[in-house]
Amino acid sequence: MSSRVPVSLRDAFNIQKSNPRNQALLFNIGVLRNIVFIYFVLRWSSKAARQLRGYGILGSILIFYEYLRSAAYGLILKAPGVKGKVKAQLDEATAKLEEKMIVRDPSLIRHLALPKNGLSSEKIREELLKLADLKHTNWETGQVSGAVYHGGKELLDLQTDCMRMFSVSNPLHPDVFPGVRKMEAEVVSMVLSMFNAPPGGAGVTTSGGTESILMACLSARNKAYVEKGVTEPEIIIPKTAHAAFDKAGYYFKMKVHHVELDPVTYKVDLKRVARLINYNTVLIVGSAPNFPHGIIDDIQGLSRLALRKKIPLHVDACLGSFIVPFLEKAGFKTEPFDFKLKGVTSISCDTHKYGFAPKGNSTLVYRNSQLRAYQYYVNTHWTGGIYASPNLSGSRPGALIAGCYASMISMGETGYISSAHAIVTCAQRLAAGIRETMSPDLYVIGEPLVSVVAFSSDVIDVYDVADELSKLGWHLNALQDPPAVHMACTTLTVKSVDTLLKDLGEVMVLVKARGKGAAKGDTAALYGVAGSVPNRSVIGSLATAFIDTLFKA
Ligand SMILES: *Cc1c(COP(=O)(O)O)cnc(C)c1O
């Protein structure tokens, strides 16, 4: 590209022409300034072009409008008079939060510093029993969405016994704990085989779905940097993808593009994904299924796109885990989502969800070991010795791997097929019940094939439904954009689905009679505010206060 010298620079050539040395210097500076100028113009215009291509003219205008609205609202929130009111309300909400979350039972000992002398084992057991028995939302009755996925006593006892055997172990020292190394490698191998990995497939275990996703994103970022020199990495995710992808963007400095859904299927819109792909794209993502709606994205379509554009594709099967691979064998409809699709380069699968392993277990599997190596951390210069670790943690609890391994070989393929059968049957019963008896007041979002059923309403405030259900002991998840509620079915909810449908029916009568806008419950209040303000900084402050509360002793 050629460019004419800007006027301001041209003037610079005219002064002090007499001195040839000055002239050369000025010329050099001028050229340099031009190059820098052109570089920034090019950079800015190519960014603008990518933005326009990715989101379209209307989409870009809309994004800009939302940005302005949010900024303006942010200014209002800081205005004198408003600021004080906001703070007062925030303090009040925070106080309420603390009152709800912090148990102040005088019969419980508080240790705000180390006890001078250690307590007796007997006393400690007594104290912890009290803590385990504190009043809480009952998961045992199958009224909680997700959270506890199996909960059977026999499996729990087995896990606890096996974890006990390895309670001192740490996979960071494979020479000290060779048994843990063997179990971990086999957990990964079993998951690779479940997802039809080709020969050469490789993986790791992690502490949970979030870490698996963080590592998948890190691997993709490092790969693009090493192989293509990409320094401004971007990832493209469905807007229904798990928040852990945004967390990865936040931690690893990657731009995250959130793609709209097809309005009928609620799967990610492939055309929009395609438009957003550019030189900086390091990863595209699909879920099998996603957390909010339990919908499996069009992984086949994403795979074709990924192959054509030569970009890695991560499939988030954290939730689908040990159900989605067994859908067909359990007698249900399924869709292709695993390594059989050539474009899929990595899959995250939570052993601690439908794998029924103790919490703190997940896996991340790759098409080949080179992709896996991109997530490793190796330090050959450390004064503490040559250091290498596969993922975020250093020391890790080998006991959890033992608990995971025991769960997997205790369930076996038939065990997982029958749990998949029971759980998916439960979810389909829930979806059918809503469609048949609560339409048109409630509608099911998309066609869920796995364990999560999300529903919404055009008639009533769906958060009000969640609040009323919680009075009856239910704990469902609130979703936003669109406002909705979901139930993630588990082994425990299998026996309670009929009661849920019955209670839902009764709650609907109540909520309908009350009418929209009359809702007063916590969920309705929080999401009512969140959905109505253009700037969520206040909600963000409340969320921060929530985390602070977790650590109030
Ligand atoms: C639960 C979940 C995750 C993250 O799992 P954590 O174990 O909570 O970190 C990721 N993706 C989906 C779809 C999930 O449902």
Side-chain angles (χ1 to χ4, degrees):
M1 176 169 165
S2 69
S3 160
R4 292 188 52 207
V5 183
V7 180
S8 59
L9 291 182
R10 258 182 279 156
D11 282 347
F13 288 110
N14 296 332
I15 26 167
Q16 298 180 337
K17 252 188 188 162
S18 50
N19 184 335
R21 261 186 58 203
N22 264 355
Q23 206 177 334
L25 190 68
L26 276 175
F27 181 76
N28 282 338
I29 291 175
V31 168
L32 205 70
R33 271 166 73 168
N34 265 330
I35 289 172
V36 170
F37 176 74
I38 291 166
Y39 172 74
F40 278 104
V41 168
L42 271 179
R43 243 177 80 108
W44 186 86
S45 55
S46 76
K47 261 192 180 171
R50 282 201 301 267
Q51 165 81 16
L52 279 177
R53 194 169 66 94
Y55 291 96
I57 294 176
L58 212 67
S60 303
I61 293 175
L62 210 69
I63 290 171
F64 188 59
Y65 169 72
E66 286 301 334
Y67 168 78
L68 282 183
R69 227 161 71 97
S70 165
Y73 194 83
L75 284 178
I76 295 174
L77 288 177
K78 286 199 186 111
V82 182
K83 197 176 169 183
K85 264 192 201 145
V86 170
K87 181 163 185 323
Q89 281 192 1
L90 206 59
D91 289 347
E92 193 192 318
T94 308
K96 260 195 200 160
L97 239 152
E98 289 183 8
E99 197 184 298
K100 253 194 184 166
M101 279 167 57
I102 304 174
V103 184
R104 293 278 183 233
D105 183 339
S107 77
L108 295 173
I109 323 172
R110 283 170 85 196
H111 296 286
L112 300 183
L114 278 176
K116 197 70 149 183
N117 298 303
L119 277 65
S120 71
S121 310
E122 205 176 310
K123 180 78 193 148
I124 295 169
R125 289 207 169 87
E126 193 185 302
E127 206 55 26
L128 262 69
L129 262 180
K130 280 196 241 162
L131 296 177
D133 283 344
L134 287 181
K135 189 170 163 288
H136 60 277
T137 313
N138 251 334
W139 57 265
E140 297 89 340
T141 50
Q143 287 185 287
V144 175
S145 167
V148 180
Y149 290 80
H150 191 281
K153 184 171 179 329
E154 236 174 90
L155 183 64
L156 276 178
D157 285 345
L158 175 70
Q159 282 173 356
T160 312
D161 289 347
C162 296
M163 284 163 74
R164 200 191 171 96
M165 290 181 224
F166 288 89
S167 56
V168 296
S169 72
N170 178 356
L172 193 63
H173 307 290
D175 51 335
V176 190
F177 308 105
V180 170
R181 195 213 62 82
K182 177 179 179 292
M183 286 189 282
E184 183 169 33
E186 290 177 20
V187 163
V188 170
S189 170
M190 287 188 270
V191 173
L192 280 164
S193 120
M194 269 167 51
F195 288 90
N196 294 303
V204 294
T205 72
T206 70
S207 64
T210 299
E211 190 183 351
S212 294
I213 289 169
L214 288 176
M215 290 297 99
C217 292
L218 181 68
S219 158
R221 194 191 77 155
N222 289 351
K223 176 181 158 66
Y225 177 72
V226 172
E227 296 178 9
K228 288 168 51 184
V230 174
T231 53
E232 292 179 41
E234 299 179 9
I235 63 176
I236 303 173
I237 69 172
K239 74 175 208 182
T240 43
H242 196 273
F245 291 99
D246 291 285
K247 200 173 187 176
Y250 174 69
Y251 282 178
F252 303 139
K253 294 227 174 352
M254 298 188 287
K255 183 169 183 176
V256 183
H257 294 283
H258 303 89
V259 184
E260 274 299 326
L261 313 175
D262 178 286
V264 176
T265 61
Y266 286 83
K267 293 167 189 273
V268 69
D269 184 336
L270 288 186
K271 283 204 196 83
R272 288 173 194 253
V273 174
R275 285 206 322 241
L276 283 162
I277 294 175
N278 64 51
Y279 179 78
N280 288 330
T281 309
V282 302
L283 184 70
I284 55 182
V285 171
S287 312
N290 61 47
F291 171 82
H293 309 145
I295 301 295
I296 305 177
D297 285 311
D298 179 1
I299 308 293
Q300 207 161 12
L302 285 171
S303 167
R304 274 196 297 268
L305 196 59
L307 281 177
R308 200 169 75 228
K309 304 273 186 176
K310 297 197 176 60
I311 291 168
L313 166 62
H314 179 78
V315 173
D316 180 12
C318 279
L319 183 62
S321 56
F322 286 61
I323 292 188
V324 79
F326 299 121
L327 279 178
E328 196 176 344
K329 286 185 176 152
F332 299 106
K333 189 176 156 186
T334 187
E335 284 167 15
F337 64 90
D338 66 14
F339 287 117
K340 278 187 188 162
L341 300 171
K342 295 279 182 291
V344 174
T345 50
S346 56
I347 301 176
S348 47
C349 162
D350 283 0
T351 36
H352 74 192
K353 281 190 176 154
Y354 295 104
F356 308 133
K359 279 285 179 253
N361 274 298
S362 172
T363 55
L364 170 60
V365 284
Y366 292 98
R367 183 169 284 278
N368 58 55
S369 56
Q370 199 188 355
L371 291 167
R372 177 178 63 181
Y374 280 123
Q375 73 159 71
Y376 290 171
Y377 176 73
V378 175
N379 185 336
T380 51
H381 296 286
W382 185 35
T383 43
I386 297 169
Y387 182 94
S389 71
N391 42 30
L392 279 182
S393 335
S395 291
R396 291 182 292 137
L400 283 180
I401 290 165
C404 178
Y405 186 72
S407 314
M408 288 172 73
I409 57 177
S410 153
M411 293 292 298
E413 196 185 36
T414 45
Y416 285 122
I417 291 172
S418 63
S419 67
H421 185 267
I423 291 165
V424 178
T425 303
C426 170
Q428 303 212 329
R429 173 130 189 70
L430 178 60
I434 294 171
R435 285 198 191 105
E436 284 155 21
T437 62
M438 281 158 232
S439 169
D441 301 329
L442 291 182
Y443 65 90
V444 172
I445 291 186
E447 194 202 344
L449 301 181
V450 197
S451 59
V452 168
V453 176
F455 54 91
S456 184
S457 174
D458 297 324
V459 190
I460 46 106
D461 183 343
V462 75
Y463 301 131
D464 201 11
V465 176
D467 285 330
E468 286 300 328
L469 279 173
S470 80
K471 287 185 196 159
L472 301 175
W474 294 97
H475 184 98
L476 272 60
N477 293 85
L479 317 167
Q480 47 185 350
D481 192 20
V485 168
H486 91 201
M487 177 78 179
C489 298
T490 66
T491 310
L492 292 152
T493 63
V494 165
K495 55 181 188 289
S496 65
V497 64
D498 289 321
T499 322
L500 175 58
L501 279 168
K502 184 178 102 355
D503 288 354
L504 188 57
E506 282 166 20
V507 160
M508 282 303 291
V509 175
L510 190 82
V511 169
K512 269 179 79 177
R514 191 153 58 200
K516 215 169 177 169
K520 287 229 180 58
D522 288 347
T523 317
L526 177 66
Y527 285 94
V529 172
S532 65
V533 294
N535 176 314
R536 301 207 176 171
S537 61
V538 178
I539 309 274
S541 306
L542 193 61
T544 304
F546 167 81
I547 301 179
D548 288 345
T549 310
L550 297 177
F551 297 99
K552 289 215 164 107

